[in-house]
Amino acid sequence: MVIDGDRGGMDADHGGGAESERKAAWPEAVGHRADGPVGEPADGGTDAGTGRIPRQDAGRDAGLDPGPNGSPHLSPAADTNGGGDVVPPAAAARRSGIAGLSLPYQVVAALALAVLGVLGAVHLAMVFLHVAPSNTLTKQHSEAIDDWVYPEFEQNWKLFAPNPLQQNIAVHVRAEVAGDDGRRITPWMSLSGEDGEAIRGNLLPSHVDQNELRRGWDFFLNSHDSENRSNGLRGDLSERYVRRIVMLRLDAHDYGGTVERIQVRSAVRSVPAPAWSEEKTNTRPTYRVLPWWTVDPADLPGDDAAARASQGEETDK
């Protein structure tokens, strides 16, 4: 049924307005595209002249959000490059890590990574050659390999030893000192006890305190028989090494004279069995006493050796 519009009737499409007062069915909104502004419906209409329904999220794909009147504007999540062009958020997120740094910092980071990689490869190669069976390469470069590995990166199997050490081994020394009141012999001094005091409670103990005396004494025992006689070419070298260690320790003490002779011994005491064990352990110490050694300039630290040598030359004259 059609009601005449001239008599105040209702228009079926516009809700009762007179034909002269009719408004557009869809208010037009201006949208901006790459080829210039075009007429674009605000709420799901069709493009003028094309009949296509525009995508409302087209602006969002480029980092743009539609404004209150339908016109797109820059999204807060979007980024721009130095030229003012819009950079999509996905592209901005990809610029992370080293790629997100400026060129000078990228060069520095690349160089640092290269240096670390080279050092890691060299370290792995040195440790491998150190533990590998003897071959031509390790024989030719044994000195360089040992300088790299010892003492910080030493490799051994003591952690997996089937018979771990169950004894406390202490090294003692006493000296014959010549002073103004004649010659006298000092009491036994525990060199191992001094090392223990330096290590105990120290978060970063020195390798010298931990290993020098222990390794030197092991070296001597392995190159001498039970009668303290050298069993090879390394016997004299091990004796010299122990004597120099002893004189370095004695140099830190003032005995009121000149050390003429030294005597070294080891005290071995078995570690007692735990309280819950029925094992019986003899904890009495056993000693290995070395003969007296006469001190010569080669056994003394640098300044003392020079002074002792000059004193000997004057005595000879």
Side-chain angles (χ1 to χ4, degrees):
M1 180 182 66
V2 179
I3 302 176
D4 189 358
D6 293 340
R7 298 180 181 180
M10 298 178 62
D11 184 86
D13 292 333
H14 298 287
E19 184 176 358
S20 61
E21 297 177 356
R22 292 178 182 176
K23 298 180 180 180
W26 304 103
E28 292 183 356
V30 178
H32 299 273
R33 293 185 177 179
D35 55 351
V38 296
E40 197 172 83
D43 293 317
T46 58
D47 286 345
T50 63
R52 291 183 291 119
I53 299 177
R55 290 179 55 195
Q56 295 298 321
D57 58 350
R60 297 189 185 95
D61 291 343
L64 304 175
D65 287 339
N69 62 349
S71 62
H73 67 281
L74 187 62
S75 170
D79 193 8
T80 59
N81 57 21
D85 299 330
V86 175
V87 179
R94 285 195 296 269
R95 297 187 308 180
S96 60
I98 296 180
L101 301 175
S102 61
L103 180 59
Y105 286 103
Q106 289 182 7
V107 173
V108 172
L111 290 176
L113 291 176
V115 170
L116 291 177
V118 171
L119 287 177
V122 171
H123 177 70
L124 291 177
M126 289 295 188
V127 173
F128 172 78
L129 293 175
H130 175 69
V131 300
S134 179
N135 53 67
T136 303
L137 187 61
T138 57
K139 291 178 180 178
Q140 291 179 349
H141 304 283
S142 59
E143 185 176 353
I145 295 172
D146 290 343
D147 290 341
W148 182 278
V149 171
Y150 292 108
E152 287 83 4
F153 308 113
E154 180 181 1
Q155 305 290 315
N156 56 57
W157 298 99
K158 291 183 179 180
L159 178 64
F160 309 101
N163 185 23
L165 188 64
Q166 298 180 358
Q167 296 173 326
N168 290 323
I169 301 176
V171 180
H172 302 160
V173 64
R174 63 178 178 177
E176 181 181 303
V177 180
D180 297 336
D181 54 351
R183 294 177 178 271
R184 59 187 179 85
I185 297 176
T186 65
W188 288 103
M189 181 180 68
S190 176
L191 302 179
S192 301
E194 290 185 348
D195 288 346
E197 290 297 327
I199 295 172
R200 191 174 295 111
N202 190 346
L203 296 179
L204 299 172
S206 169
H207 278 284
V208 173
D209 295 332
Q210 296 180 82
N211 299 320
E212 182 184 54
L213 179 63
R214 177 181 63 84
R215 297 290 296 273
W217 188 247
D218 287 343
F219 183 24
F220 179 86
L221 295 181
N222 293 331
S223 57
H224 288 74
D225 58 19
S226 60
E227 299 297 329
N228 301 320
R229 293 174 301 199
S230 175
N231 57 15
L233 299 176
R234 294 163 61 88
D236 182 67
L237 177 62
S238 65
E239 180 179 326
R240 288 288 180 184
Y241 187 58
V242 171
R243 291 167 68 167
R244 291 178 182 180
I245 292 175
V246 170
M247 292 307 299
L248 280 172
R249 303 296 184 87
L250 292 178
D251 187 61
H253 301 274
D254 184 10
Y255 289 104
T258 303
V259 177
E260 299 289 345
R261 296 195 304 166
I262 57 175
Q263 188 177 27
V264 183
R265 73 177 184 183
S266 63
V268 180
R269 186 190 302 269
S270 298
V271 176
W276 46 263
S277 175
E278 297 181 356
E279 181 182 357
K280 303 298 181 182
T281 306
N282 184 7
T283 59
R284 293 182 58 184
T286 58
Y287 298 96
R288 178 170 180 169
V289 182
L290 304 186
W292 283 92
W293 290 332
T294 301
V295 177
D296 57 41
D299 301 328
L300 302 175
D303 296 339
D304 294 339
R308 181 71 66 90
S310 61
Q311 182 180 0
E313 292 176 358
E314 293 178 357
T315 302
D316 294 339
K317 292 179 181 179

